[in-house]
Amino acid sequence: MQKKLTSRIFAGILAMGLLSGCGIKNTENSEDSKNTIKIAYLPITHSLAVLEEAQELENETGTKIELVKFGAWSELLDALNSGRVDGASVLMELAMKSRQEGVGIKAVALGHHDGNVIVVSNAINSASDLKGKTFAIPHRQSSHNILLHETLAKGGLTTDDITITELAPTEMPSALASGQIDGYCVAEPFGAMGVSIDAGKVLYTSEELWEDSICCGLVLTDQFIENRPEDAKQFVENYKKAGNALDAETAMTTAKQYFSQSEEVLATSLQWISYQDLDITEDTYNSLTEKVKSYGLSDNPPAYSEFVINNLD
Ligand code: ZN
C-alpha cells in the first residue's frame, strides 16, 4: 500500500476547475440530442483521437460530437458515472474502478499507445537516486502510478522509499522547477512542459518501462450503446479511423487547434505517442489488470470479457 500518499487532490481540483471554465450545456432541442453524442475529455494530447474525430464525423454522417471539456478527472468521472455524457476519453484505471463499482460503461478503444514519460529534476541520474525524494502522480488509479512502480523497481526501491503526492497535471512542471517535488509522471503535454522550461529531464519513456502499456481508453455508457447501437458502432469505427489518420503532421495541426501550449512543447510531446490501431487486445488488457492487482490499485478489476468491446456489431 502507498501509506505516504498525501491528499492534495482538492487543491488540484480547485486549480484545474479555475483553469477549465467548463461545464455541460443543456441540450434543449430533443432532435439535437438525438443526433448528438456527448463525449467528455480533458485537454491533454492523450485525448487527441476523439478531438480529431469530432472534426470529421458531422461532415460525414450528420451526427455531431459534442465535446465536453473538464479540468480534472474527478469532475469528468462525475459526469460519466451519472450518465450526463454518453462517453469519455479517460484513464483506463479510473474507468475500471467505476465499472467495478457498478457503473454501466464499456471500454471500446485505447486512447493512444505509449505517450508517458518519467520526468525528474536535473540532479537525478538514475532510478535509485529517487530514494528519499518526492514524486507526483495525478491519481492513484492511473498508469502513471504503475509507471512509477516500474521505475522504482529498476532502482531496487519500493514506494516505502519515497514520498508520493497527488498533484493536478498543470501544477507539476512548476512544482518540479521550484523543488517542491523531485519528479512526476502525468498525461501529456505536461511532461514535455517540464522539459521545455528546463525544470527537469526524461528519465524513462513509458515503453522503456512497460511494453504495450495501456493508459487512456475510450469508454461509452451501456445506456448509449443499447439505446443508439448504430450511432455507437459508427462512432467507434470513426474514432479508430481518426486515430489511424493522426500521423505526425495531422496530430500537430489538431493539437494546435485545441491546446494552448507552444509548438515546441507539442512537438516534444507528440514524439512520444501514437494513435494507430486503437483496438484493446486481450493480452495487453490482462497485463494491465495484473499490474493493477500487484501494485495495489485494485484487488478486483473487471475482466476483459465483461468490460471491453472492440467491435459493436
Ligand atoms: Zn493516456
Side-chain angles (χ1 to χ4, degrees):
M1 288 301 291
Q2 294 166 268
K3 61 185 179 185
K4 292 177 187 167
L5 195 72
T6 52
S7 181
R8 307 197 43 162
I9 304 170
F10 294 110
I13 290 168
L14 193 64
M16 293 293 284
L18 291 171
L19 284 167
S20 65
C22 59
I24 299 181
K25 280 178 282 175
N26 286 321
T27 308
E28 282 162 21
N29 184 324
S30 63
E31 276 305 306
D32 261 13
S33 71
K34 252 199 296 188
N35 293 322
T36 299
I37 305 173
K38 285 187 183 180
I39 300 294
Y41 78 105
L42 255 60
I44 51 178
T45 53
H46 292 194
S47 52
L48 205 58
V50 81
L51 304 179
E52 173 69 15
E53 182 190 7
Q55 304 194 36
E56 302 297 333
L57 190 66
E58 190 174 8
N59 298 340
E60 283 181 23
T61 67
T63 302
K64 185 176 161 40
I65 297 177
E66 184 183 331
L67 293 169
V68 187
K69 183 163 86 170
F70 289 90
W73 291 120
S74 53
E75 296 169 10
L76 178 145
L77 281 172
D78 278 352
L80 179 67
N81 293 350
S82 61
R84 281 185 284 134
V85 291
D86 299 311
S89 181
V90 60
L91 297 178
M92 193 68 93
E93 292 86 347
L94 287 172
M96 289 158 77
K97 196 79 179 171
S98 290
R99 180 68 189 79
Q100 197 186 321
E101 287 166 0
V103 177
I105 51 174
K106 295 281 187 301
V108 293
L110 295 174
H112 55 89
H113 294 283
D114 304 320
N116 288 298
V117 291
I118 299 283
V119 182
V120 293
S121 70
N122 291 314
I124 290 174
N125 294 309
S126 69
S128 57
D129 289 348
L130 285 168
K131 191 173 173 67
K133 305 291 190 194
T134 300
F135 195 96
I137 54 174
H139 199 290
R140 187 165 170 258
Q141 297 297 336
S142 70
S143 291
H144 309 105
N145 189 11
I146 294 174
L147 290 165
L148 169 59
H149 278 82
E150 301 288 353
T151 300
L152 293 172
K154 280 199 180 277
L157 305 175
T158 72
T159 49
D160 288 341
D161 295 310
I162 63 164
T163 302
I164 301 172
T165 185
E166 287 184 2
L167 275 186
T170 48
E171 293 178 18
M172 293 193 193
S174 58
L176 185 65
S178 71
Q180 184 194 341
I181 57 173
D182 305 290
Y184 64 91
C185 183
V186 71
E188 284 296 311
F190 299 103
M193 282 176 76
V195 173
S196 80
I197 61 170
D198 202 27
K201 62 192 177 192
V202 174
L203 186 62
Y204 294 112
T205 60
S206 42
E207 62 265 40
E208 292 174 313
L209 297 165
W210 173 8
E211 200 181 341
D212 295 327
S213 59
I214 289 182
C215 173
C216 299
L218 179 71
V219 303
L220 295 176
T221 65
D222 290 348
Q223 197 178 13
F224 174 68
I225 294 170
E226 281 158 26
N227 294 345
R228 297 169 62 186
E230 282 306 311
D231 283 349
K233 183 174 183 298
Q234 190 159 52
F235 173 74
V236 175
E237 277 173 12
N238 280 286
Y239 173 84
K240 289 176 184 173
K241 259 194 248 173
N244 288 335
L246 280 173
D247 56 20
E249 193 184 336
T250 312
M252 176 58 84
T253 306
T254 305
K256 280 203 289 196
Q257 273 176 268
Y258 284 94
F259 309 127
S260 55
Q261 281 83 19
S262 71
E263 187 162 341
E264 181 205 336
V265 166
L266 293 174
T268 301
S269 192
L270 291 173
Q271 73 186 353
W272 297 324
I273 198 165
S274 70
Y275 305 92
Q276 278 77 43
D277 301 323
L278 293 177
D279 280 355
I280 306 170
T281 68
E282 190 158 3
D283 278 356
T284 56
Y285 182 81
N286 288 344
S287 144
L288 169 65
T289 57
E290 282 310 309
K291 288 178 192 296
V292 158
K293 284 191 272 191
S294 64
Y295 292 139
L297 277 66
S298 165
D299 293 332
N300 190 25
Y304 185 85
S305 58
E306 61 172 312
F307 182 55
V308 178
I309 308 180
N310 279 302
N311 293 299
L312 293 165
D313 290 323

